[in-house]
Structure formats: C-alpha cells, structure tokens
Amino acid sequence: MGGARAHRYGIGFQDYVARANREMVAIIQAEHIEAVENIEAIANVAGIDAIFVGPYDLSASMGKPGQVKDPEVQAAIRKIRDATLRTGVRLGIYCSDPESAKDFVLQGYTLIGMSTDLNYLSQSAGAALAAVKK
C-alpha cells in the first residue's frame, strides 16, 4: 500500500483501491495431484474467478514429468475441467501450440496460456538465422 506508480504515488490512491476491488480476479492454479484430489472443494470456494491447469507441473507431481499426453495425466486434467465447469468458474490451461489451444477452447476453456515468450523469441531468432544462412 506504499507509494507506487499504480496509484500515481498516492495522488490517485482511493480511485486505485476502488478500481482494484472491482477489477482484480482470483485465479487458482491446479498444478498438483493433491489439487486434483480436492478439486470439487477448491472449485466451490467463494470468490474464485478461474482455475488454471498447469499440465507440466501436474504431470511432474504424478511422477510423469513432461508426459502431458499420458492417459492418467489427461484423466486428471479432465477431472479438473469437469469440476470447474460444473461450478461456472472460468477455466484456463497452459498449452504449447495453436492446435491444442483450439481444442481447449472447444472444451470450454476460456483462459489459454499458449507457449512462452522464450519459445517465441527462440523460434523467431531461429527463423531469422535460417534466412541469413540461405
């Protein structure tokens, strides 16, 4: 609550607090098998605006690091999806490519984190280097 640029170093403090209270969202990350086991209770916590699935961390917590397509990992993701959609809470997920993103949209996900800034940067740099080498 100290002096910060977000509220113009105190000048717009009251407006900032009012806007923050209206616009802030609470997004819970479901990235561990314990979250899957308790997803019904988690999804029903008052004040949660969205649940975001972290498939890679989830797979690691299941002893299958990086195996996001593994049937057990997929079943866990579906369990999170189904419980979340039943509550009316928004649903999000991380994926690495546009085709996966399209599939998740069709399943009811509305918050998609697609790839990472580092992946996009390295792909762009690789394409630029390939063009120079031609």
Side-chain angles (χ1 to χ4, degrees), residues 56-108:
Y56 286 90
D57 288 335
L58 177 59
S59 70
S61 78
M62 296 174 72
K64 301 173 181 224
Q67 298 176 43
V68 298
K69 300 293 184 189
D70 178 87
E72 289 181 22
V73 175
Q74 287 294 302
I77 292 170
R78 282 191 304 276
K79 184 174 180 180
I80 295 169
R81 180 198 65 201
D82 294 347
T84 301
L85 291 176
R86 276 193 300 274
T87 65
V89 170
R90 290 190 173 119
L91 181 60
I93 194 163
Y94 171 83
C95 66
S96 57
D97 60 83
E99 290 306 313
S100 294
K102 289 178 189 178
D103 184 47
F104 287 126
V105 168
L106 293 174
Q107 293 180 50

Side-chain angles (χ1 to χ4, degrees), residues 4-134:
R5 188 170 72 169
H7 55 68
R8 298 181 10 230
Y9 302 100
I11 295 169
F13 182 77
Q14 294 305 321
D15 290 337
Y16 169 78
V17 170
R19 188 178 74 247
N21 285 334
R22 280 191 317 273
E23 297 176 2
M24 293 284 182
V25 295
I27 301 173
I28 305 303
Q29 290 184 252
E31 299 186 309
H32 197 277
I33 191 62
E34 287 184 33
V36 176
E37 293 163 356
N38 295 287
I39 195 61
E40 295 288 338
I42 292 168
N44 283 294
V45 170
I48 291 177
D49 296 295
I51 295 179
F52 191 90
V53 181
Y56 286 90
D57 288 335
L58 177 59
S59 70
S61 78
M62 296 174 72
K64 301 173 181 224
Q67 298 176 43
V68 298
K69 300 293 184 189
D70 178 87
E72 289 181 22
V73 175
Q74 287 294 302
I77 292 170
R78 282 191 304 276
K79 184 174 180 180
I80 295 169
R81 180 198 65 201
D82 294 347
T84 301
L85 291 176
R86 276 193 300 274
T87 65
V89 170
R90 290 190 173 119
L91 181 60
I93 194 163
Y94 171 83
C95 66
S96 57
D97 60 83
E99 290 306 313
S100 294
K102 289 178 189 178
D103 184 47
F104 287 126
V105 168
L106 293 174
Q107 293 180 50
Y109 291 82
T110 57
L111 176 60
I112 310 278
M114 190 175 67
S115 196
T116 66
D117 53 353
L118 183 58
N119 283 343
Y120 287 124
L121 180 61
S122 66
Q123 288 171 2
S124 179
L129 182 60
V132 169
K133 288 182 175 182
K134 280 187 177 183

